[in-house]
């Protein structure tokens, strides 16, 4: 089994002076028969195509969520339309969305949709 850390697009900040000094990423997990790509917490970026050229990926797990308001979140979180665009540029065989409950504001959006 091989694990490869690959880039993602997201900002970082832990203190007042360390903006964008650490890395976000995803994982390619491979063995002799199968391969998968967990995209990680990311916005759409050209790295998707570069990763696809380097690895033979069969399945993609792509977190989709916390993308609104798009003017603020688009760079760091992928929306459904960009997820499809990323998948098509990668030429993988299977795509599965991952919904993570890390972000409170995303849960608020889901709740609002059920009320409407």
């Amino acid at each position: 089994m091989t694990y490869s850390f690959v880039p993602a697009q997201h900002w970082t900040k832990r203190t007042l002076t360390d903006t964008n000094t650490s890395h976000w990423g995803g994982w390619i997990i491979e063995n002799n028969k199968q391969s998968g790509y967990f995209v990680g917490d990311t916005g759409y970026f050209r790295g998707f195509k570069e990763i696809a050229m380097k690895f033979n990926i069969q399945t993609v797990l792509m977190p989709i969520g916390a993308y609104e308001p798009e003017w603020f979140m688009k760079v760091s979180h992928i929306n459904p339309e960009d997820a499809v665009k990323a998948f098509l540029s990668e030429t993988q065989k299977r795509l599965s969305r991952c919904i993570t409950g890390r972000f409170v504001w995303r849960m608020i959006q889901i709740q609002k949709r059920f009320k409407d």
Side-chain angles (χ1 to χ4, degrees):
M1 184 88 55
T2 304
Y3 298 86
S4 301
F5 186 72
V6 293
Q9 177 176 285
H10 203 290
W11 64 277
T12 64
K13 187 172 187 77
R14 299 283 181 212
T15 69
L16 293 175
T17 61
D18 69 347
T19 303
N20 295 328
T21 58
S22 61
H23 300 286
W24 285 73
W27 291 96
I28 305 287
I29 303 167
E30 304 171 288
N31 65 20
N32 293 336
K33 297 179 184 178
Q34 300 176 40
S35 63
Y37 173 24
F38 175 69
V39 175
D41 196 2
T42 187
Y44 181 82
F45 73 121
R46 70 174 180 259
F48 287 127
K49 194 168 195 169
E50 295 167 7
I51 291 165
M53 290 171 54
K54 186 173 180 178
F55 297 93
N56 180 22
I57 303 165
Q58 295 172 326
T59 302
V60 177
L61 300 171
M62 189 167 310
I64 301 169
Y67 52 84
E68 292 179 347
E70 283 198 33
W71 66 267
F72 176 69
M73 303 301 277
K74 186 175 179 91
V75 174
S76 297
H77 298 130
I78 201 157
N79 64 34
E81 294 84 8
D82 284 343
V84 170
K85 187 166 81 172
F87 177 72
L88 294 175
S89 73
E90 294 173 15
T91 66
Q92 274 56 253
K93 297 177 183 173
R94 291 184 298 258
L95 172 66
S96 177
R97 68 183 179 145
C98 298
I99 300 175
T100 57
R102 295 181 192 175
F103 303 102
V104 173
W105 56 85
R106 180 65 183 145
M107 294 308 296
I108 292 169
Q109 292 172 353
I110 292 169
Q111 291 169 354
K112 279 176 54 178
R113 288 183 185 168
F114 281 110
K115 288 179 184 176
D116 292 342

